[in-house]
Amino acid sequence: MLDKMIYLDNSASTRLDERVMDAMKPYYFDTYAVATSEFGYSMGIDAKEGLEAARETIAASLGASAEEIVFTSGETESSNMAIKGVCAALQKKKGEHIIVSKIEDFSVLNTAKNLEKKGYTVDYISVDAEGILDLEELKNKIRDDTVLVSIQHANQEIGTLQDLDAIAKICKEKDVLLHTDATHSYTRVPIDVSKTPVDLISMSAHTIHGPRGVGALYVRKGTPLDKWMDGGYQETNRRAGLENIPGAVGFAKAVELVTPDEIEFLKSLRDYTFERVFDEIPHVTLNGSKTQRTPQNANITFHYVEGESMTLHLDMRGFAVSTGSACFSRSLEASHVILGIGGDHERAHGSIRFTFGRYNSKEDVDAIVDAMKEVVSQLRAISPLFNK
Amino acid sequence: MKFPYTEKVLEHFKNPRNVGKLENPDGKGLEGSPACGDMVAVYLQVNPDTQIIEDIKFESYGCASNIATASIITELAKGKTIEEAKKISWQEATEELGGLPPVKAHCSVLAVEGLRAAIRDYEEKHGLVTEQEPTTPDVLRSRLKHVMNPMAGLDIVRTELVTKMEINDGVVRILLDLPSNHQFAANIKEEVLEKIESLWDVKEVNVVFTE
């Protein structure tokens, strides 16, 4: 057992950077007023300044303008706001048809399913064996009454990156709005909205060492979007409810702290994991694309063993990772992503997702690969599927 | 906050008892499939004079709940007669383990089914089946419900992979809606044969694939 837990589940959430905490603190203890107009009281004006500076930072990271950023509570709210908001705004004008991919996060998939119950038609676009979208299928499925295409930028489990430029080009040619959930790529892989005509982008702070419960939605100027939560007139009347100012400030600080060196470092940990696992552990399969993938994600199936057993053994040795096994999830459903890339149930059950963050090291990779070798060999020894 | 598993479940998971395979077992049972995420194989060595289970081993492809239940079941069955072992229930195994999360019940039931399948196999191979029920399509259907369809994670009957079942003079014919060159064809065929060949009045089993 290690002295401390080695955490390799950074796509689920990351450890808050202390510098982010330092940036947020004044907005909890000193400048804790709600954001007020320039005619309000000074603490409220200061709070507003903090919020707007954070908005500028998020906007600049995308090549957008500040008024195109709406602060939210995170990925789920951003994607709900985008999809439901556009649908509500265009239902009467354009129709009730949307398109999503089969491997989206549940915040998109379940929003689509909810709309289906309300009479919308949803097309679920296939992906290939690496998780890459079938662009021809997308092109063919767009109809005159399609109000929105929602395709993730990076996959939450297997890290596959979509060709956002190509998807956006198709959508623009067909005159349909495009939303992308960029929660797992934001700041890891550049998106420049001045070059890529995507209309809405979901982001979240907790995947980049920012605070939990804060995110943002980029809304291109002029995009029709109905408010889906009624209340006050915050966020230029696009999102009711008091703004989480410390959270927004923390989110912006987290964005500022990401450097190109860090991205290279994450890539090096990912590639070193692949190198060691594929060299030293037999009967393994890469999940996702080797080249079109996020820097922080390594997802591998260890055949003949079941994921929950692996994660439990690893936890007992001081490691945190996740798996696409049905037994790991309360729903007892195997990863829809691995099944979506044409994998069978066994491949999903034996998959392990390693996701890296700023606080990981090469030594962490060495430690977990050494532990994996033992755990996998121990479980294969009792597996009826493994030919001993 | 720790795992929703008792100390005893974790102990059996970490150090499972009676793990392995018996060469030339007197009885063998295989339940579940990789498709449904859990699979258990149980092997028995039975004293023919006393009907006592003298040795028992298991293999598991499954989660903690599955491994721990299989482990405790082998402990409970060892030294019992096959009649006594037949009565070991999932509830008894669960109680011995100090309880299991309700959501994990199916993973552990499989271990009990594995033991029962091994006992049934022993009885059938040794002419001990007292109620010699003739094999009908219903009997075949019931047996085939234990063969999984790896593409769906459910059995081959429920997923309509079995299109026809016939029995004529002890010759069984099972038609499957699957090409013979399919990646799972050989595995499914093997499991079908295993579930049906041991029936007392079955002389031959033919598995027919669609082409």
Side-chain angles (χ1 to χ4, degrees):
Chain A
M1 185 76 186
L2 303 156
D3 295 338
K4 65 174 179 74
M5 193 82 183
I6 291 182
Y7 181 82
L8 294 165
D9 198 15
N10 288 282
S11 281
S13 197
T14 48
R15 179 177 140 191
L16 190 80
D17 191 303
E18 280 180 28
R19 293 166 290 179
V20 170
M21 193 58 175
D22 290 342
M24 291 165 70
K25 261 186 195 163
Y27 291 89
Y28 282 117
F29 298 108
D30 306 319
T31 315
Y32 46 81
V34 297
T36 52
S37 73
E38 65 269 38
F39 307 113
Y41 46 83
S42 55
M43 200 207 284
I45 297 167
D46 289 347
K48 172 95 172 164
E49 270 181 17
L51 179 68
E52 295 313 318
R55 201 185 307 279
E56 291 278 356
T57 302
I58 308 287
S61 71
L62 293 170
S65 57
E67 66 268 22
E68 293 175 308
I69 300 298
V70 182
F71 283 110
T72 67
S73 63
E75 176 185 25
T76 301
E77 186 187 329
S78 294
S79 295
N80 269 266
M81 180 188 278
I83 300 169
K84 290 176 182 168
V86 166
C87 283
L90 293 180
Q91 185 180 25
K92 285 187 185 151
K93 203 172 157 193
K94 207 168 178 206
E96 294 185 333
H97 177 243
I98 64 166
I99 296 173
V100 302
S101 87
K102 286 183 178 169
I103 60 168
E104 294 294 318
D105 180 79
F106 285 122
S107 54
V108 169
L109 275 186
N110 287 341
T111 301
K113 282 181 188 159
N114 189 328
L115 286 169
E116 267 185 306
K117 282 185 205 158
K118 291 179 176 154
Y120 278 78
T121 307
V122 182
D123 272 311
Y124 298 87
I125 305 292
S126 311
V127 292
D128 68 13
E130 294 187 346
I132 295 164
L133 194 82
D134 184 335
L135 294 176
E136 277 308 303
E137 192 185 349
L138 173 66
K139 211 180 280 180
N140 296 333
K141 287 274 163 64
I142 295 176
R143 322 188 308 207
D144 290 342
D145 62 342
T146 305
V147 290
L148 183 71
V149 169
S150 178
I151 305 289
Q152 61 188 191
H153 187 211
N155 185 265
Q156 61 282 1
E157 284 184 48
I158 58 172
T160 296
L161 279 166
Q162 301 301 336
D163 184 346
L164 206 55
D165 284 327
I167 293 168
K169 190 166 174 261
I170 292 170
C171 291
K172 288 313 114 185
E173 280 169 4
K174 300 260 187 179
D175 193 25
V176 61
L177 293 172
L178 171 65
H179 163 247
T180 192
D181 178 0
T183 303
H184 298 279
S185 61
Y186 179 54
T187 72
R188 307 305 191 212
V189 181
I191 301 178
D192 183 347
V193 296
S194 68
K195 291 181 184 142
T196 306
V198 53
D199 301 289
L200 303 118
I201 304 172
S202 296
M203 295 159 271
S204 194
H206 76 294
T207 54
I208 56 167
H209 304 283
R212 289 185 197 195
V214 191
L217 178 68
Y218 160 77
V219 186
R220 184 178 291 277
K221 203 173 168 188
T223 303
L225 187 77
D226 273 12
K227 201 174 175 182
W228 71 291
M229 198 160 73
D230 292 315
Y233 301 96
Q234 291 86 1
E235 295 294 288
T236 49
N237 202 21
R238 289 174 297 189
R239 198 261 191 188
L242 283 182
E243 296 97 341
N244 175 358
I245 298 173
V249 169
F251 187 8
K253 185 69 185 175
V255 171
E256 282 172 358
L257 291 173
V258 179
T259 62
D261 282 352
E262 183 181 340
I263 305 305
E264 285 310 308
F265 170 68
L266 294 174
K267 267 186 199 162
S268 72
L269 294 184
R270 176 197 72 185
D271 293 342
Y272 184 53
T273 305
F274 284 142
E275 192 186 312
R276 279 210 59 194
V277 169
F278 288 102
D279 277 357
E280 297 173 39
I281 304 182
H283 313 294
V284 290
T285 301
L286 167 72
N287 293 316
S289 166
K290 195 169 182 189
T291 49
Q292 275 181 247
R293 76 184 299 130
T294 50
Q296 74 274 21
N297 177 299
N299 190 314
I300 299 163
T301 290
F302 297 84
H303 292 279
Y304 313 116
V305 280
E306 195 275 334
E308 192 219 61
S309 285
M310 281 191 275
T311 58
L312 197 52
H313 269 296
L314 287 169
D315 179 85
M316 288 168 176
R317 291 159 189 252
F319 300 94
V321 292
S322 72
T323 166
S325 162
C327 279
F328 191 71
S329 70
R330 286 206 72 79
S331 66
L332 293 178
E333 282 174 17
S335 158
H336 70 283
V337 176
I338 309 261
L339 300 181
I341 59 172
D344 57 22
H345 283 70
E346 195 240 330
R347 183 164 163 195
H349 291 306
S351 66
I352 295 288
R353 181 182 74 169
F354 310 89
T355 46
F356 305 101
R358 182 174 299 156
Y359 300 107
N360 291 122
S361 63
K362 190 168 176 257
E363 288 71 35
D364 291 351
V365 176
D366 280 325
I368 197 161
V369 176
D370 289 345
M372 280 307 296
K373 284 163 77 174
E374 287 178 20
V375 167
V376 169
S377 143
Q378 196 178 335
L379 288 169
R380 279 183 184 160
I382 70 165
S383 170
L385 295 172
F386 189 61
N387 199 4
K388 285 151 285 251
Chain B
M1 174 67 190
K2 282 287 163 195
F3 300 105
Y5 291 127
T6 64
E7 280 302 313
K8 199 159 177 188
V9 171
L10 292 175
E11 163 53 25
H12 275 267
F13 168 66
K14 271 193 284 185
N15 301 301
R17 281 54 149 181
N18 303 308
V19 165
K21 193 174 184 173
L22 289 176
E23 291 308 323
N24 305 316
D26 297 325
K28 181 181 142 193
L30 185 69
E31 289 293 324
S33 82
C36 63
D38 285 295
M39 189 171 173
V40 174
V42 177
Y43 306 90
L44 300 177
Q45 189 185 304
V46 182
N47 183 316
D49 301 325
T50 60
Q51 299 295 306
I52 284 175
I53 297 172
E54 291 190 334
D55 201 3
I56 179 167
K57 294 232 182 283
F58 84 93
E59 293 177 306
S60 162
Y61 164 83
C63 62
S65 178
N66 179 286
I67 292 173
T69 317
S71 170
I72 201 97
I73 271 174
T74 58
E75 282 204 325
L76 290 170
K78 203 169 186 175
K80 284 196 167 76
T81 64
I82 56 166
E83 281 307 315
E84 289 166 344
K86 265 190 220 173
K87 291 178 191 145
I88 296 170
S89 65
W90 168 73
Q91 286 86 347
E92 189 183 347
T94 308
E95 272 170 36
E96 279 291 322
L97 288 167
L100 282 167
V103 71
K104 296 287 187 177
H106 84 281
C107 314
S108 52
V109 163
L110 213 57
V112 181
E113 286 179 357
L115 172 65
R116 289 186 181 161
I119 293 173
R120 193 177 60 218
D121 182 51
Y122 170 77
E123 289 181 327
E124 283 170 356
K125 280 181 182 156
H126 292 79
L128 297 171
V129 179
T130 45
E131 297 154 19
Q132 297 223 317
E133 181 192 7
T135 299
T136 61
D138 275 349
V139 171
L140 295 176
R141 187 174 295 109
S142 145
R143 288 289 174 114
L144 293 179
K145 277 186 177 169
H146 293 271
V147 178
M148 300 307 292
N149 173 356
M151 287 88 77
L154 294 168
D155 68 77
I156 60 172
V157 176
R158 215 177 334 165
T159 55
E160 295 175 356
L161 211 59
V162 179
T163 51
K164 210 168 185 183
M165 286 174 283
E166 293 169 343
I167 175 142
N168 198 353
D169 251 356
V171 178
V172 172
R173 202 160 166 263
I174 306 289
L175 272 73
L176 297 176
D177 183 17
L178 196 72
S180 58
N181 60 357
H182 190 276
Q183 60 166 324
F184 295 123
N187 287 350
I188 291 175
K189 182 178 177 179
E190 195 185 331
E191 278 197 55
V192 168
L193 294 179
E194 195 173 290
K195 299 290 178 216
I196 295 181
E197 271 180 340
S198 56
L199 289 165
W200 69 278
D201 57 349
V202 169
K203 294 178 212 152
E204 191 183 327
V205 183
N206 296 312
V207 177
V208 183
F209 295 99
T210 52
E211 292 305 333

